[in-house]
Amino acid sequence: MAKIFQVSARAGMTRVVEPIARALLRAGVTPNAVTVTGTVGVLIGALGFGARGHLVAGALIVTVFALTDLLDGTMARMSGGSTRFGAFLDSSMDRVADSAVFGAVAYWLATQNNHSGVAAALLCLAAGALVSYVKARAEGLGMTCNVGIAERTERLLIVGVGGILTGVGVDPALEIALWLLAAVSIFTVGQRMAHVYRQAQQLRPDGQA
């Protein structure tokens, strides 16, 4: 059910994003330029606002610029498909943006002496990187790994909602969101490793991974 919701939501967003993508392409803007711009926007929202305790503004800025992840992909598809460097740049910038978001959250929580929240934020950072690494490594070995309940968009959405709620006075919301995110991220790593293990067994004639 969760996967069906994700697909439906992404399809709805694509219908909104496609006219913007066409307009940018007509104006001569490249997908790579959108990728870099989106990352810079996330850095501003996370480090310039979130790390200083302006959680609502930071979360909103990060959310808006994180949506460029859909925009640059749509532009690449419309212009004939992503290049190898474009795919590499997109993945690299995603890691930069994610590090800024969770690093900023951890820093702000540390200034509030919330040690449990800091631990959760650092765990989210590590688990999120592992989620992405497992997929990249699997694809590098010629297998697929498009599974998991906590992909990048969902992870940013969870921490964004927690940040906004805390920013408007629901103090424990961000910490709760971080621990929830840590749990689903670790679960996603397990999902992906199990998925790759099953593929590896099928690819070997002797049935051994």
Side-chain angles (χ1 to χ4, degrees), residues 73-98:
T74 302
M75 291 172 67
R77 176 174 54 80
M78 289 180 170
S79 59
S82 176
T83 63
R84 288 180 182 272
F85 177 75
F88 168 79
L89 179 67
D90 184 62
S91 179
S92 298
M93 291 298 99
D94 283 351
R95 303 292 78 74
V96 170
D98 290 354

Side-chain angles (χ1 to χ4, degrees), residues 46-106:
L47 303 178
F49 290 86
R52 297 167 60 194
H54 304 299
L55 300 183
V56 175
L60 292 176
I61 293 171
V62 166
T63 298
V64 169
F65 281 97
L67 290 176
T68 59
D69 203 38
L70 271 177
L71 183 58
D72 59 9
T74 302
M75 291 172 67
R77 176 174 54 80
M78 289 180 170
S79 59
S82 176
T83 63
R84 288 180 182 272
F85 177 75
F88 168 79
L89 179 67
D90 184 62
S91 179
S92 298
M93 291 298 99
D94 283 351
R95 303 292 78 74
V96 170
D98 290 354
S99 297
V101 169
F102 290 103
V105 169

Side-chain angles (χ1 to χ4, degrees), residues 94-95 98-99 102 120-135 150-152 155 181-182 184-186 188-189 192:
D94 283 351
R95 303 292 78 74
D98 290 354
S99 297
F102 290 103
L122 294 177
L123 185 56
C124 286
L125 179 58
L130 189 54
V131 167
S132 300
Y133 173 79
V134 169
K135 179 177 181 179
E151 297 184 8
R152 182 171 184 262
R155 296 198 302 271
L181 178 56
V184 297
S185 295
I186 292 170
T188 298
V189 171
R192 291 187 168 183

